[in-house]
Amino acid sequence: MQLIPDPPGKIIDGQIFFEGENLLEKRAKDMQYIRGNEISMIFQEPMTALNPVYTIGDQIAEVLILHKAVGEVDKKEIKKYDIIGKRKQKKNLKKKSIKKAVDSLRMVQIPDPEKVAEQYPHELSGGMRQRAMIAMMLACNPKLLIADEPTTALDVTVQAQIIDLMKDMQRRTNAAIWLITHDLGVIAETCDKVGVMYAGYIVEFGDVQSIFDWPNHPYTRGLLKTIPKITKKRGKLDIIPGFVPNLITPPSGCRFHPRCKYATSECKKTPPPLVEVEKNHFVACHHYEDVKLSVISKYQQVKP
Amino acid sequence: MNDEIILKTDHLKEYFPIKSGIFSKVKDYVRAVDDVDIYIQKGETLGIAGESGCGKTTLGRTILQLIKPTDGKVFFMGSDLSKINKKKLRKLRPHLQIVFQDPASSLNPRMIIKKIVGEPLVINGVAKGADLEKKVLELLKTVGLTEQHMYRYPHEFSGGQRQRIGIARALALNPDFIVLDEPTSALDVSVQAQILNLLKDLQKRFGLTYLFITHDLSVINHISDRIAIMYAGKIVEVAPTKDLFKKQLHPYTQALLSAIPIADPNIKSKRTHLRGEVPSLIHPPSGCNFHPRCPKEMPKCSKIEPELKESSKGHFVACHLY
Amino acid sequence: MLHLFRHSLLSMIGLALILLVVFIAIFAPLLIQEHPSYVEVSTDQGTTRVEERWDINFENKLLPPGPEHYFGTDDFGRDIYSMVVWGTQISLKLCLMVVLTATIIGVILGGVAGYFGGKIDEIIMRVTDVFLAIPYLILAMAVAAALGRSIENIMMALIVVWWPQYARLLRGQVLSIRENQYVEAARSVGASGWRILFRHILPNSFSPLLVQITLDLGAVLLVAAGLSFIGLGASPGTAEWGLMISMGRTHMFHAWWYVTFPGLAILITVLGFNLLGDGIRDITDPKLRR
Amino acid sequence: MKTWEYITRRLILLIPVLIGVTILTFVVSHVIPADPAMHFAGGPKAQPETIERIREELHLNEPVLVQYFYYLNDLVHFDLGKSYLESRPVTDSLAQYFPATLELTIFAMLISIPLGIVGGIISAIRRNKLSDHITRFIAIVGYSLPIFWLALMFQYAFAYQIPILPLEGRLSIGVSAPPPVTGLFVVDSLLAGDLEACGSALYHLLMPAFTLGFATLALILRMTRSSMLEVMGADYIRTARAKGLSERTVIFKHALRNALIPTVTVSGLSFGALLGGAVLTETIFNWPGMGRFAASAVIGLDFNSVMGFTLVVAITYVLANLIVDLLYAVIDPRVKLGGV
């Protein structure tokens, strides 16, 4: 979304395509049009992501007015210096957009939306804030919603509500959702496709089903095994040795090699390319075949 | 594990006063821990699970007398901790230790590791000089650190390593009982597994008793023998881990377990939906404090508070359904 | 720690300025052409005290800056350069005395108030409220006026005025540091209240305190110079910067150097402290480091 | 809690502070001096009879507590004693000088606060660019400058070398003061419809007000800059951008209001610095205000006047901070009035 301020962050290279157009080649003005209207984003901390000094209704109405979802001030109809008339129109517009904001709050199942629209963010609970945030970002029916750890700051029972809400909203608005999370459980339940990232690289990408069943990258495999599960019997947990590297001086070659049991000298030298190992399943590992084999052999040992 | 009860609470309550008005009059209370009865047997791990703000952390601190309880008793090896004087309490302190959630703030940033881990030994006059150094090194090795870590400051360590240091400090005085307050929730999953394994090893080696506090039910399933579920300051269900995951009695426990996303796309969970959110601890609902969200609410739930009763052996529940 | 300064040019300049000022203060006697003499005078109260006197030479009255007198001379023909350099000592001594004494008082009272809370806290905080309800300069002026004119009394007055904010600062620090889990950890291993206060809390409140001290060294100098300017403080003829500006005021339009150089000396010293203080803040407060 | 309830509560809370202030001024005036009577009489050169008379008048022979009671009793009757310098009640003198100081302080704030905020915003937006470095430099020099020296330098530059501004005073010679209503010349002259006097008053205000406000300007600039920078990094700014708002709207609508919250606090505190600075500025610009009066009282050992001045300043300052707190609640909805 190009929301990282420059400096310190800069996109060094690469392209981002949205509906066939490269976003990086767009002017700032066009990007502003796309943001909130076609691509919108919700964040991890609903407390800090909402402006504390404006009411919920105002903040939602702002997007609506901005992207002209409720019409706009008609410049032709009003004389240039007719300030009073202009104000009147603006007021009308505001009224309409607040009304629509209340509707969108109702859509995300906020009880008593009229009242909530007049409240400030700090007067709401965490779950309510995240709902309001979703309402705000879906107000203009975007085509893509980026959700950055939307439930991490919430309790499990509320998390479950929000996840269901997001799925429900997706069904209604037909938007694509890009969910960023560290919680594999949330991914397994909500996503169709998943990309696994390690130290700045996508190491594996594919359908949720195939990734969880046949992880081909050693990191994905380790990750799946280290999490304690409530469905499995207990015992010692598998561990990935070592620590996550920092990104200032990442390891050479494949960034996972210092923690990988399959690592060879090749891994130290060249970063592996992302290859399609089966339909819609990509892996970046020099030894994905070995990994696959070991999974299969283990699977077979258990099966018969 | 044997049946000897090492620690027991009796109607434990912890209310924090809220002051307001011109003369700072106490207007109300935050009922963080409200009438909690639990017991822990020697060598076992009791897990306390609940959502944020349910009072589970306060419970841990109140048990250790880091906060004086408002009412109720805590028995540790037969003596009532809430009654005994400061001096005696200080004598008992070595037996009761705690590992904190946030490895960043639980280590004094201006002390080297040797000082941090050695502090309990110095305060209690256990060791001095070269002996101290030897002891500290031994402790560090126990938790998987080495000699070269002794003279560094906390900020030079990663989260997992810091948590190991915190564990070493808790072990310094050979405690019998350790409260583990969300020891892994600030860590990455891959590191979380390392710490959990370490804790299990240590328990076996030193015969420790754990009170494991967490909001993460999959972690608690992995480590504890029995689990107590806490909701808004009260214990709603206590059962051996296996029983609890097989059969949940309290509607809240059922909802809580069903809400956990499972990291396996093949299992499609059937979810019990809860209305609303966790109530405030200042004005908890009347009767059973879960009734406004309960899918199985009955008329008497809003009037009479259910007691914690044993429904089958070792399985306690506080609900009018049983 | 020093290497961190390198990232900020401004704080480097601050450090350099302060080192320069300290150097001048230490070696003042070697740097100047004229030296003061000391005389014993009787005071209002009937006691005697030692005061510095500079040689008066009416022939050299109000000479502009030149090779003989770098900063010119004043209306009594005294060398302004020598007096400004000499004044460095007086100023630094005053600032340090005031700030350090105020810090000690403030740290003790604030630490006790914050850590033990309750009634003591209530009393100490109400007292600081009262002190902070009156602007510094004005309270110091009233106190100094009551004490009588002298540099020592200005110091006393400034200490009286300055300690409450340290008490406030430290209390706030203690209250926030007390919430850290390592304090709880120390309690859980049986550490006593004083041990926690001195081993765990005070060392961790050192950084913000240091920043405040550095910035205040400059602020105290400004207020002290202001008091001297009004006519409180040093007796006429002393090489005190504020006083010199006050004396030079009547000659400003025909002898600009008289007020300019002492003022520059104040500006440079205060600027040095402020830049340095800002630098230390940026280094020690990771939140502000960007 | 309603606003008036909050104000009442705050006013009630002021009582202990003000009692404390009276104790403090009492201690300073009646206990600290070695011989208060001599002090009040004007120093060691005073005649013994005068000292004895004052001793009687001020009840200095009574126990300290009784003395304090007398002191308080006088205060309640608005009696601050007699000014030995002006041979009239201190209250009369202060009443005469107060409006001039108020006018000067208000104009100093009117100059420094808007300029400081604008400068801070520019500095924050153009971070690490040349304009940022320049404004930051001005700011840091601004609060390192001795105000009295700055005043003299301005006088030298703008009244002597390039004489475009008046050297001192409130009005030009030949312009008569407007009929007193508020005591603020600018307001009074407008009320009287006397534009010449108004112009002259503004003309004379410019230099002293700017001098007095310069340090405040620097402080506010700095505060606004750093809080702007902090706010610009906040999550809700990212949200605002994600909504597709233009950078202008993001800065002025979303960031500024949040960034102003700490600035408002600083403005309240700096009011104290302004009152203190007024003592020096008024002396130099020969401004007939309380500050000049106090400064000459200090020199003339007119103790009653000094203490009276201190008391009035304390009350003004405390009330100013109350107003700031009210403003605070207007800007920041999170501040519930009364949630202290």
Side-chain angles (χ1 to χ4, degrees):
Chain A
M1 284 201 91
Q2 299 176 40
L3 284 180
I4 296 179
D6 167 24
K10 202 162 194 166
I11 300 170
I12 298 203
D13 200 6
Q15 293 164 318
I16 305 166
F17 287 100
F18 175 70
E19 300 208 309
E21 290 179 70
N22 187 352
L23 293 185
L24 295 184
E25 281 163 12
K26 295 223 176 240
R27 282 174 301 135
K29 256 253 138 67
D30 298 328
M31 245 349 262
Q32 280 166 11
Y33 171 76
I34 290 176
R35 286 191 204 126
N37 201 18
E38 300 198 335
I39 308 180
S40 58
M41 183 155 184
I42 53 181
F43 303 100
Q44 178 172 1
E45 292 284 346
M47 175 76 241
T48 54
L50 289 165
N51 195 328
V53 299
Y54 294 104
T55 61
I56 300 287
D58 275 345
Q59 293 190 48
I60 300 178
E62 191 182 17
V63 206
L64 292 168
I65 295 173
L66 181 75
H67 296 299
K68 293 161 189 145
V70 282
E72 61 182 308
V73 181
D74 195 344
K75 283 196 184 114
K76 275 179 222 145
E77 217 171 272
I78 284 179
K79 283 183 219 112
K80 211 174 175 187
Y81 299 105
D82 185 4
I83 299 169
I84 301 165
K86 228 182 208 168
R87 283 201 78 158
K88 230 181 190 169
Q89 269 214 356
K90 268 197 176 160
K91 238 184 176 169
N92 255 329
L93 198 66
K94 181 104 192 250
K95 244 190 198 156
K96 261 203 278 180
S97 57
I98 293 268
K99 231 172 140 191
K100 211 173 160 205
V102 171
D103 289 343
S104 57
L105 285 173
R106 190 173 292 123
M107 213 157 70
V108 293
Q109 294 150 30
I110 286 183
D112 204 356
E114 285 87 0
K115 198 183 143 210
V116 170
E118 282 168 24
Q119 283 179 317
Y120 290 97
H122 68 275
E123 296 170 307
L124 303 177
S125 66
M128 282 301 150
R129 276 185 223 131
Q130 199 59 291
R131 278 170 197 269
M133 189 79 200
I134 292 173
M136 179 159 91
M137 286 313 182
L138 291 180
C140 289
N141 294 321
K143 291 168 188 148
L144 172 64
L145 176 69
I146 303 176
D148 180 7
E149 305 247 11
T151 60
T152 309
L154 306 173
D155 281 318
V156 261
T157 50
V158 182
Q159 164 173 299
Q161 294 170 356
I162 296 292
I163 288 178
D164 286 346
L165 174 71
M166 279 175 53
K167 281 194 198 161
D168 181 49
M169 296 305 290
Q170 185 174 30
R171 233 171 289 132
R172 280 206 237 176
T173 60
N174 212 15
I177 294 184
W178 176 359
L179 185 76
I180 300 165
T181 180
H182 70 279
D183 190 332
L184 293 166
V186 172
I187 290 181
E189 292 215 346
T190 50
C191 301
D192 304 312
K193 283 187 195 156
V194 58
V196 180
M197 246 181 129
Y198 183 80
Y201 278 102
I202 292 278
V203 294
E204 191 160 6
F205 181 81
D207 291 338
V208 164
Q209 195 79 29
S210 80
I211 294 245
F212 276 77
D213 286 352
W214 305 101
N216 272 331
H217 195 280
Y219 174 66
T220 317
R221 244 193 102 204
L223 203 60
L224 284 169
K225 282 173 130 186
T226 51
I227 44 168
K229 296 185 187 98
I230 57 168
T231 48
K232 292 244 170 75
K233 58 178 184 298
R234 308 153 356 114
K236 216 165 175 159
L237 289 168
D238 283 329
I239 57 172
I240 305 175
F243 305 98
V244 182
N246 69 28
L247 295 179
I248 302 165
T249 49
S252 60
C254 170
R255 290 187 175 182
F256 187 59
H257 83 257
R259 302 175 72 185
C260 182
K261 60 178 173 183
Y262 299 95
T264 58
S265 56
E266 189 190 1
C267 300
K268 270 182 209 161
K269 275 182 235 139
T270 36
L274 198 64
V275 291
E276 188 161 13
V277 287
E278 55 193 280
K279 197 168 181 303
N280 283 332
H281 194 148
F282 302 82
V283 167
C285 177
H286 292 301
H287 306 287
Y288 66 87
E289 274 163 353
D290 298 341
V291 183
K292 201 169 173 182
L293 278 176
S294 73
V295 178
I296 292 169
S297 63
K298 210 171 175 188
Y299 202 65
Q300 282 167 338
Q301 273 168 17
V302 181
K303 262 244 164 124
Chain B
M1 205 193 306
N2 55 34
D3 287 350
E4 188 195 330
I5 289 173
I6 186 168
L7 187 129
K8 191 177 148 194
T9 68
D10 185 19
H11 296 286
L12 192 63
K13 284 180 191 153
E14 183 63 63
Y15 290 3
F16 297 110
I18 302 166
K19 289 177 186 174
S20 75
I22 296 169
F23 300 105
S24 303
K25 259 201 271 179
V26 176
K27 255 199 177 162
D28 222 320
Y29 294 95
V30 176
R31 295 164 170 82
V33 173
D34 201 359
D35 218 347
V36 166
D37 290 340
I38 50 167
Y39 66 88
I40 304 168
Q41 289 167 350
K42 197 164 169 50
E44 78 165 341
T45 302
L46 175 69
I48 305 269
E51 295 178 271
S52 59
C54 73
K56 54 190 193 301
T57 297
T58 311
L59 176 64
R61 303 214 168 161
T62 311
I63 286 175
L64 290 187
Q65 307 294 313
L66 289 173
I67 321 170
K68 272 259 160 249
T70 313
D71 197 13
K73 294 168 187 156
V74 180
F75 293 99
F76 175 71
M77 293 173 138
S79 48
D80 181 358
L81 294 182
S82 53
K83 287 276 156 10
I84 60 173
N85 62 29
K86 261 191 177 170
K87 233 178 170 178
K88 273 193 184 156
L89 184 65
R90 223 176 251 175
K91 261 193 193 150
L92 276 176
R93 278 253 183 264
H95 300 283
L96 300 144
Q97 286 300 314
I98 181 164
V99 174
F100 295 95
Q101 168 176 9
D102 183 3
S105 93
S106 65
L107 306 176
N108 188 336
R110 294 198 179 268
M111 280 165 111
I112 54 168
I113 303 311
K114 186 191 148 190
K115 283 248 166 82
I116 291 176
V117 177
E119 190 179 29
L121 300 168
V122 172
I123 291 174
N124 292 284
V126 178
K128 257 199 283 193
D131 194 27
L132 178 73
E133 189 150 343
K134 219 178 87 195
K135 279 241 164 80
V136 170
L137 182 60
E138 207 175 289
L139 283 163
L140 288 181
K141 281 188 175 151
T142 318
V143 296
L145 296 171
T146 60
E147 192 172 359
Q148 52 161 335
H149 295 128
M150 276 229 296
Y151 296 96
R152 294 206 202 149
Y153 285 95
H155 66 88
E156 298 172 62
F157 293 90
S158 69
Q161 283 173 316
R162 277 185 224 168
Q163 204 53 288
R164 285 172 195 268
I165 295 164
I167 294 170
R169 171 174 60 193
L171 288 175
L173 296 169
N174 292 320
D176 301 292
F177 175 76
I178 301 183
V179 172
L180 301 162
D181 183 9
E182 306 240 12
T184 60
S185 56
L187 306 175
D188 280 325
V189 266
S190 59
V191 181
Q192 164 174 300
Q194 296 172 0
I195 297 292
L196 289 177
N197 284 343
L198 172 71
L199 287 170
K200 276 200 142 181
D201 287 344
L202 293 172
Q203 182 169 39
K204 237 181 270 164
R205 225 170 116 190
F206 299 109
L208 299 168
T209 309
Y210 287 155
L211 180 74
F212 196 102
I213 298 167
T214 183
H215 68 277
D216 188 332
L217 283 154
S218 31
V219 168
I220 216 165
N221 166 55
H222 180 77
I223 196 156
S224 31
D225 301 302
R226 288 191 306 130
I227 294 177
I229 305 284
M230 215 171 160
Y231 181 79
K234 290 175 189 290
I235 300 282
V236 295
E237 188 162 2
V238 186
T241 307
K242 255 187 252 160
D243 289 8
L244 191 82
F245 279 89
K246 224 181 280 163
K247 189 168 186 244
Q248 306 92 33
L249 297 178
H250 199 282
Y252 174 66
T253 318
Q254 291 164 2
L256 189 65
L257 281 174
S258 76
I260 308 167
I262 298 159
D264 190 341
N266 298 311
I267 299 171
K268 288 284 169 236
S269 55
K270 293 165 260 116
R271 207 159 262 170
T272 317
H273 282 276
L274 283 185
R275 295 165 276 173
E277 294 179 40
V278 183
S280 92
L281 296 172
I282 303 167
H283 303 289
S286 60
C288 169
N289 57 20
F290 184 60
H291 82 261
R293 301 177 71 192
C294 185
K296 295 171 186 163
E297 186 199 346
M298 298 181 291
K300 72 171 171 183
C301 292
S302 61
K303 289 181 197 108
I304 308 159
E305 194 184 324
E307 273 177 52
L308 196 64
K309 286 173 295 200
E310 190 160 9
S311 86
S312 60
K313 196 179 167 352
H315 198 143
F316 297 84
V317 65
C319 180
H320 289 306
L321 287 170
Y322 306 95
Chain C
M1 182 147 156
L2 208 64
H3 70 278
L4 286 164
F5 274 102
R6 244 176 274 148
H7 296 298
S8 156
L9 178 69
L10 283 180
S11 40
M12 277 299 285
I13 296 174
L15 188 64
L17 286 178
I18 292 308
L19 288 177
L20 178 74
V21 170
V22 170
F23 175 84
I24 290 175
I26 293 172
F27 297 102
L30 304 176
L31 296 170
I32 55 181
Q33 302 137 326
E34 286 175 29
H35 294 265
S37 52
Y38 291 91
V39 291
E40 215 169 71
V41 293
S42 56
T43 64
D44 294 353
Q45 276 82 31
T47 50
T48 56
R49 46 176 288 129
V50 176
E51 278 181 5
E52 73 183 55
R53 285 280 181 274
W54 295 76
D55 291 338
I56 294 172
N57 184 357
F58 283 110
E59 278 162 34
N60 291 340
K61 191 173 127 182
L62 295 174
L63 291 178
E68 281 283 304
H69 303 280
Y70 302 136
F71 295 171
T73 60
D74 71 1
D75 48 344
F76 290 96
R78 298 175 291 204
D79 182 41
I80 293 179
Y81 166 75
S82 303
M83 290 179 83
V84 167
V85 168
W86 192 254
T88 316
Q89 261 187 10
I90 301 175
S91 298
L92 280 192
K93 228 188 311 181
L94 181 133
C95 297
L96 280 172
M97 278 295 292
V98 169
V99 172
L100 292 185
T101 317
T103 308
I104 292 168
I105 299 173
V107 163
I108 293 172
L109 291 178
V112 167
Y115 189 72
F116 295 101
K119 280 259 145 48
I120 314 170
D121 181 25
E122 195 70 18
I123 292 168
I124 294 177
M125 283 306 114
R126 289 296 81 78
V127 173
T128 59
D129 274 350
V130 171
F131 277 86
L132 294 173
I134 308 175
Y136 296 144
L137 183 76
I138 288 163
L139 182 58
M141 189 174 88
V143 176
L147 289 170
R149 282 176 214 166
S150 80
I151 289 241
E152 287 73 23
N153 287 343
I154 282 208
M155 273 192 216
M156 284 295 296
L158 286 171
I159 291 168
V160 168
V161 171
W162 233 272
W163 70 267
Q165 58 162 338
Y166 283 101
R168 278 275 155 119
L169 175 78
L170 212 85
R171 176 176 178 271
Q173 280 293 314
V174 171
L175 286 183
S176 78
I177 293 170
R178 208 171 57 160
E179 295 304 310
N180 273 311
Q181 287 176 341
Y182 56 79
V183 172
E184 220 169 357
R187 279 206 294 149
S188 76
V189 297
S192 64
W194 289 103
R195 185 186 168 91
I196 289 172
L197 187 56
F198 283 103
R199 294 298 293 271
H200 293 278
I201 293 176
L202 289 186
N204 280 296
S205 48
F206 182 70
S207 308
L209 199 62
L210 187 67
V211 172
Q212 191 65 41
I213 287 174
T214 317
L215 294 175
D216 276 352
L217 285 170
V220 164
L221 182 58
L222 281 183
V223 175
L227 291 177
S228 300
F229 180 79
I230 301 173
L232 291 163
S235 55
T238 314
E240 204 279 333
W241 295 336
L243 182 74
M244 290 169 74
I245 296 175
S246 159
M247 308 292 282
R249 203 187 141 199
T250 38
H251 304 283
M252 187 171 65
F253 295 133
H254 52 267
W256 57 268
W257 54 90
Y258 197 170
V259 295
T260 306
F261 289 107
L264 278 178
I266 300 177
L267 173 62
I268 286 172
T269 315
V270 178
L271 189 66
F273 283 127
N274 281 337
L275 288 172
L276 187 65
D278 275 2
I280 299 175
R281 190 210 316 265
D282 290 350
I283 289 165
T284 53
D285 188 349
K287 250 197 317 200
L288 290 168
R289 208 188 295 164
R290 14 175 124 205
Chain D
M1 202 183 279
K2 288 191 191 73
T3 313
W4 65 266
E5 263 180 63
Y6 174 71
I7 296 174
T8 330
R9 207 177 94 92
R10 284 295 306 264
L11 286 174
I12 291 171
L13 281 174
L14 278 188
I15 294 172
V17 172
L18 287 179
I19 291 176
V21 169
T22 61
I23 294 176
L24 190 62
T25 47
F26 171 76
V27 168
V28 170
S29 61
H30 288 68
V31 182
I32 292 182
D35 186 353
M38 190 170 79
H39 232 100
F40 284 113
K45 286 162 209 111
Q47 286 165 329
E49 308 90 76
T50 328
I51 295 178
E52 197 45 46
R53 209 192 66 234
I54 290 171
R55 200 178 287 280
E56 276 300 307
E57 245 175 57
L58 295 176
H59 315 283
L60 286 176
N61 299 324
E62 316 251 2
V64 175
L65 260 175
V66 179
Q67 286 183 40
Y68 177 64
F69 174 75
Y70 278 117
Y71 179 77
L72 215 54
N73 188 45
D74 286 349
L75 278 187
V76 172
H77 294 99
F78 295 104
D79 181 2
L80 295 169
K82 214 170 139 196
S83 162
Y84 289 88
L85 211 62
E86 302 201 339
S87 331
R88 57 174 175 169
V90 171
T91 36
D92 288 3
S93 301
L94 288 175
Q96 188 199 327
Y97 297 131
F98 183 77
T101 302
L102 189 67
E103 188 173 36
L104 181 62
T105 328
I106 287 175
F107 273 86
M109 288 188 104
L110 284 181
I111 293 173
S112 60
I113 294 176
L115 280 181
I117 291 174
V118 170
I121 295 170
I122 293 173
S123 194
I125 297 172
R126 327 191 108 250
R127 196 171 155 225
N128 289 337
K129 301 224 171 87
L130 185 67
S131 43
D132 179 26
H133 288 305
I134 292 171
T135 36
R136 279 174 75 190
F137 184 73
I138 292 174
I140 198 148
V141 169
Y143 59 82
S144 304
L145 271 173
I147 184 171
F148 51 96
W149 186 70
L150 180 70
L152 292 175
M153 289 293 124
F154 276 156
Q155 277 189 337
Y156 185 78
F158 300 117
Y160 178 70
Q161 285 292 350
I162 323 162
I164 46 168
L165 287 172
L167 182 66
E168 51 180 39
R170 275 182 99 177
L171 287 173
S172 306
I173 300 162
V175 178
S176 53
V181 183
T182 57
L184 313 181
F185 280 5
V186 173
V187 180
D188 285 353
S189 57
L190 281 180
L191 287 177
D194 185 352
L195 284 180
E196 192 199 350
C198 180
S200 175
L202 283 173
Y203 183 53
H204 279 77
L205 262 170
L206 204 57
M207 197 153 67
F210 187 77
T211 313
L212 182 57
F214 196 64
T216 306
L217 188 157
L219 191 70
I220 287 179
L221 193 152
R222 219 167 99 85
M223 200 67 219
T224 309
R225 178 182 185 269
S226 69
S227 69
M228 256 322 249
L229 283 179
E230 190 171 330
V231 166
M232 290 303 281
D235 282 357
Y236 53 81
I237 294 302
R238 203 171 44 167
T239 308
R241 291 205 182 109
K243 279 173 168 181
L245 296 172
S246 68
E247 203 55 27
R248 236 185 118 79
T249 322
V250 170
I251 289 165
F252 288 100
K253 189 172 168 195
H254 286 264
L256 187 58
R257 191 159 157 194
N258 284 290
L260 281 186
I261 293 165
T263 307
V264 166
T265 318
V266 170
S267 312
L269 294 175
S270 66
F271 188 69
L274 288 179
L275 288 172
V279 174
L280 299 166
T281 322
E282 288 179 1
T283 308
I284 291 169
F285 290 106
N286 205 12
W287 190 265
M290 285 195 302
R292 192 190 65 168
F293 170 60
S296 51
V298 167
I299 314 256
L301 292 175
D302 180 359
F303 217 61
N304 279 343
S305 304
V306 177
M307 297 327 291
F309 169 69
T310 309
L311 206 61
V312 169
V313 167
I315 294 169
T316 318
Y317 185 39
V318 167
L319 288 177
N321 274 311
L322 173 65
I323 293 169
V324 164
D325 282 358
L326 290 174
L327 252 178
Y328 205 79
V330 173
I331 297 183
D332 188 353
R334 281 168 299 181
V335 177
K336 273 209 197 96
L337 291 178
V340 184

